[in-house]
Amino acid sequence: MAISKDRKTGHIAGLNQRVFPMARYTLHGMFASGPTYKVGLMLRLTKTPFDYEHVDLRSGAHKADAFLAKNRYGQVPVLEDDEKDMCLCQSSVILDYLADETGQFGGKDRAERLRAREWQLWGAGQLTTGIYRTRALKLGFFNFNEQVAEANLNAATGALRELNGLLEGRDWLVGAAPTIADIDIYGIAAYSGEAVIDLAAYPHLRRWMGRVEALPGYKGIADCLPKETVAA
Ligand SMILES: N[C@@H](CCC(=O)N[C@@H](CS)C(=O)NCC(=O)O)C(=O)O
């Protein structure tokens, strides 16, 4: 069901509802999607109201023309900003955008923002491949042969070990306060449980995850995203 908002009347076509004031943002996503979770978590932590549009990947809604017009890659998540008439994809870029728009979690200066971007790109490598794919295998979303499954798991544990080491003696990944780097990397590491990866060997990582989970507005992977299309 596609949400279409009429700002003048307050009518939301996809939901057949009238809403005032209308949320500036619509998050298009799928509740089991890790990258969608990252964006949902950012919106929750910044206390930003958003409408949510469920994209049914099983029926191929993400490859339909209407969705491809929002994201040429045909993937969730997409963040639609009515105020700026802007559609953005790629979860890390969306976090970067929301940091500017909300004035939160962007780091204290340009140097911190660039360090945060470094972390986001690091996270998009072995950590993402390893954890998301191992989780997908455990949940039966995908099937990999034994060698590939082992390579995925090794990628995950290697990246988690590195992350744990880099967190020693630090509260946050960048500077003295949480940034989009923490939200992004947490949004990947949070799926370790579903990937059946034991974090016992990574004490610094576990303490850091606890700090993210204690932030006001935090929601976990089970209850951050709606399962259906809803207005804010
Ligand atoms: N790099 C993208 C990855 C997005 C992604 O992989 N989305 C998946 C769902 S978790 C998807 O839409 N898959 C459907 C497809 O690729 O056809 C991001 O961080 O937003």
Side-chain angles (χ1 to χ4, degrees):
M1 178 198 325
I3 285 185
S4 140
K5 300 177 184 176
D6 183 334
R7 294 209 153 265
K8 279 192 199 123
T9 62
H11 189 248
I12 299 187
L15 287 174
N16 206 18
Q17 273 181 20
R18 247 172 230 286
V19 178
F20 285 110
M22 214 166 236
R24 168 179 169 184
Y25 297 105
T26 304
L27 173 59
H28 302 255
M30 211 271 285
F31 68 92
S33 150
T36 309
Y37 170 63
K38 285 187 206 171
V39 178
L41 182 59
M42 178 74 178
L43 290 163
R44 302 285 187 200
L45 292 174
T46 55
K47 311 258 178 1
T48 306
F50 62 100
D51 294 327
Y52 180 80
E53 183 169 330
H54 170 71
V55 180
D56 188 353
L57 301 187
R58 272 177 302 189
S59 72
H62 55 311
K63 302 300 179 196
D65 288 348
F67 191 81
L68 290 173
K70 298 183 195 303
N71 178 358
R72 60 199 163 293
Y73 309 120
Q75 291 188 319
V76 293
V78 164
L79 185 79
E80 198 163 355
D81 179 349
D82 276 1
E83 204 173 290
K84 298 258 167 96
D85 197 16
M86 166 98 105
C87 261
L88 278 178
C89 65
Q90 297 298 337
S91 55
S92 297
V93 172
I94 298 172
L95 263 51
D96 196 46
Y97 179 70
L98 285 171
D100 284 334
E101 295 306 310
T102 64
Q104 297 177 69
F105 298 109
K108 73 170 168 32
D109 53 22
R110 179 157 163 75
E112 282 201 4
R113 176 64 70 91
L114 289 169
R115 288 278 171 262
R117 297 292 294 126
E118 288 177 350
W119 268 110
Q120 290 184 292
L121 288 171
W122 176 83
Q126 300 289 293
L127 189 72
T128 289
T129 308
I131 294 183
Y132 284 171
R133 288 194 179 168
T134 303
R135 168 193 180 236
L137 176 73
K138 298 286 178 200
L139 296 182
F141 294 165
F142 291 128
N143 214 351
F144 299 108
N145 72 37
E146 227 168 273
Q147 264 181 325
V148 175
E150 195 184 326
N152 290 338
L153 185 59
N154 287 340
T157 51
L160 287 167
R161 197 176 318 115
E162 188 177 0
L163 181 57
N164 182 64
L166 292 167
L167 278 165
E168 186 173 357
R170 307 192 58 89
D171 283 349
W172 305 106
L173 292 173
V174 177
T179 64
I180 49 173
D182 300 284
I183 297 168
D184 198 318
I185 301 295
Y186 177 89
I188 308 161
Y191 290 90
S192 300
E194 290 191 351
V196 198
I197 297 171
D198 186 2
L199 297 182
Y202 314 116
H204 310 302
L205 171 71
R206 279 189 288 116
R207 277 194 285 276
W208 164 79
M209 289 179 81
R211 281 189 282 277
V212 174
E213 287 158 13
L215 292 171
Y218 168 84
K219 294 263 190 195
I221 58 172
D223 56 1
C224 183
L225 298 171
K227 296 201 169 44
E228 289 176 2
T229 296
V230 284

